[in-house]
Each structure stands twice: as C-alpha cells, then as structure tokens.
Amino acid sequence: MGNKLSEADLIINQDGTIYHLNLLPEDLAHTVITVGDPDRVSEISKHFDRIELKKGKREFLTHTGYIGQKRITVISTGIGTDNIDIVFNELDALVNIDFETREVKKDLVSLDIIRVGTSGAIQSDLPMGTILASSFGLGLDALMKYYIHELSVDERPILEAFNSHSSHIKGIHPYLTAADPVLLERIGGEMVQGITVTAPGFYAPQGRQVRAKNAIPNFIELLNSFQHGKYRITNLEMETAGIYALAKALGHKALSVNAILASRVNFEFSKSPDKVVDKAIRTVLEKLS
C-alpha cells in the first residue's frame, strides 16, 4: 500500500507479537469472543473440544481453540471502552497489517466479534436472568470523539431523538452504532433485544449513588423513558458502544450479548450470577458451532 506504519504507531514486541495482547497473527481465529473478566475466558474455553493456545499479558488473556471444525479465539478486554480501543486496534492489526513490512494488507479481513458480558436492566419488564442482544450501542464515553464515525440512515434518527430527549443535561455527547445485522439475526434472533447504553464508569455514570454526589439526577429514569418507534433503552454496561463503533470503523462485524444480573429499577441483584453468565455462554457457543 506504500504507507509504512512507524514503530511508535504500531508497536511490535521483539518476539513478533502485538504490544499489549502479546499475540502473533497466527494465534488469532477469525471468530472472536470478548469478555471483560479474565476469569471468564476459561469458562468459555472449557467448552472447546481442544485448546491450541493460551497466552496472557496484563488483563488480556487469550485462548484459541476449536468446537468441532470451528476455530474460535476468546480474549478478555478488562473493563471499559479505553481497553476496547487497545484490544480492537490490535485485533485488527493482527489480521490486516503485515508485521514484516508494517503496511496495510491489500485484502482485508473482517472478523466476527461477539461480546459476552454482564449488564443491568433499566426496564421493569426485563427480569434478572434475561439474555439480551444489543440491537444498538449508545455510548456516553469519549472514545469515538477521536475517530471518524459516520452514522447510517438507521442510526441517525435514533441518535437525534436521544439528543433531543437528553438536551437539558449538559455534557452528554453520545454516539450510536448498530449491531451487525447478520450476527444479530444468527445469534440474537431469539433473544430479547434493545438499545444498550455504554457508560464511562460504574457508579455515578450508571446512576448509582454511594457517597459522592451525582451530577445528573434521575439518570435511570432519563434513560428508561426514552422511546423512538419500536426502540427503547434496555440496559447499561461499559463496553458495547465502543465495540460496535470501533468494529464498524475498522470493517469488522460485532454483536454484544448481555447476561442481565441486576434490575436497576427493582433494586435487585441476581442470587446466581454464574448460572446466568453460563447460560449466555452456552447460548452463544451453540449458535456459533
């Protein structure tokens, strides 16, 4: 392509692995499951027929293996869209940049990326234990201020409606991206679906109050009262919008599957969170294999 990436822009370790993930290009399958918690990686890979690779660095733990003939990589991202920025750029580099020449490859690969994560529901009719597929990710974090992000004809009216709905709140500058329609139908077609809000924190940014005072009163009510046509906001978490937007910017397909562990409107938390997460894992793996 003629545009060589500098050693400061694309950092490759001395052993040929990408900087943070510590992976070689051949370590990565083209179907990737992301999880926040490193401990959840083994909860997924234990269902593999065989595991060919285990690597880890910092919070980024990776297992690659097979279910039947299907090769799958599971990788932990840690919490938040700042880590999504690292993971998704490095996943893309592994498949779309020639590490020898430091140039973008002529033929680009589009990864299938499925997040399996936990979340809290903000609608009273969504019980704990629900497995929910995010039809859209609505980001309240700052990640996509640093990337060119173009809205589709389906995304624009929803974002405009939310901006109008929240116009009285200063400092909210959201972005919105749809799930990949093929993955949404294939994996999430039988699941409850809704708009997932991605917050830049766990406490006040998700409407929780412990000791520090919240700047946005009635935050959950602001979110759960939003409706645009058939679309409503269903849940809160910390990665989905970044995953959707950055995947779209890089030409990958993404879907977020949420294990609902909390009801924010009923002030309840699941008594068996591990069972709910395992249900989400099994459902996704069945659809993939």
Side-chain angles (χ1 to χ4, degrees):
M1 300 292 287
N3 293 320
K4 187 174 182 179
L5 296 167
S6 77
E7 293 184 5
D9 288 311
L10 177 67
I11 304 171
I12 299 173
N13 299 317
Q14 289 187 352
D15 62 357
T17 59
I18 195 73
Y19 185 50
H20 294 92
L21 301 187
N22 200 36
L23 297 176
L24 295 164
E26 59 264 31
D27 294 337
L28 185 68
H30 288 183
T31 297
V32 181
I33 297 174
T34 70
V35 295
D37 184 354
D39 289 341
R40 199 173 298 141
V41 172
S42 60
E43 291 302 306
I44 295 177
S45 67
K46 72 181 182 182
H47 297 286
F48 289 0
D49 294 318
R50 63 185 176 93
I51 298 171
E52 67 176 31
L53 170 86
K54 291 184 178 182
K55 284 188 175 181
K57 184 179 180 182
R58 305 189 188 190
E59 62 265 56
F60 308 116
L61 180 64
T62 302
H63 290 181
T64 295
Y66 287 84
I67 296 180
Q69 299 300 312
K70 182 72 173 180
R71 190 170 186 245
I72 300 172
T73 291
V74 188
I75 187 166
S76 58
T77 65
I79 297 174
T81 56
D82 51 348
N83 278 5
I84 294 303
D85 180 61
I86 292 170
V87 172
F88 273 58
N89 275 287
E90 294 194 2
L91 290 177
D92 179 75
L94 286 165
V95 293
N96 288 324
I97 296 174
D98 186 319
F99 280 19
E100 294 295 325
T101 65
R102 293 183 166 272
E103 294 180 356
V104 177
K105 294 177 180 179
K106 182 179 179 181
D107 298 318
L108 299 179
V109 170
S110 180
L111 299 170
D112 288 343
I113 305 172
I114 302 96
R115 170 189 178 267
V116 179
T118 59
S119 186
I122 62 169
Q123 299 290 348
S124 60
D125 61 340
L126 291 178
M128 290 178 294
T130 298
I131 308 301
L132 182 146
S134 304
S135 51
F136 295 86
L138 179 67
L140 303 183
D141 60 292
L143 176 62
M144 294 311 293
K145 290 182 180 179
Y146 298 91
Y147 294 97
I148 294 173
H149 180 242
E150 298 180 357
L151 292 166
S152 71
V153 293
D154 294 326
E155 295 161 353
R156 186 174 300 279
I158 299 172
L159 183 58
E160 289 176 348
F162 182 78
N163 283 334
S164 177
H165 179 75
S166 60
S167 61
H168 61 292
I169 305 296
K170 294 182 180 180
I172 292 183
H173 304 288
Y175 60 94
L176 181 111
T177 313
D180 176 75
V182 175
L183 289 179
L184 183 62
E185 175 59 30
R186 179 183 171 193
I187 296 173
E190 298 176 359
M191 298 178 188
V192 174
Q193 297 181 13
I195 300 172
T196 297
V197 166
T198 294
F202 185 78
Y203 289 95
Q206 291 190 36
R208 292 182 171 91
Q209 177 146 357
V210 184
R211 278 201 342 107
K213 292 184 178 180
N214 293 12
I216 304 175
N218 304 315
F219 186 57
I220 298 299
E221 183 181 348
L222 170 72
L223 298 179
N224 69 18
S225 60
F226 173 74
Q227 185 93 24
H228 180 73
K230 64 179 181 179
Y231 299 111
R232 63 175 183 165
I233 297 172
T234 49
N235 60 308
L236 273 166
E237 50 72 83
M238 293 181 65
E239 290 90 33
T240 294
I243 287 171
Y244 282 11
L246 207 47
K248 180 181 177 181
L250 292 166
H252 303 295
K253 303 178 183 70
L255 178 68
S256 178
V257 174
N258 304 266
I260 300 298
L261 300 186
S263 172
R264 298 300 309 283
V265 287
N266 296 327
F267 304 101
E268 297 173 336
F269 190 83
S270 174
K271 297 294 191 295
S272 54
D274 291 344
K275 290 183 179 180
V276 182
V277 172
D278 186 63
K279 179 183 175 184
I281 291 169
R282 290 175 181 274
T283 300
V284 168
L285 291 179
E286 279 181 18
K287 297 292 186 180
L288 286 176
S289 60

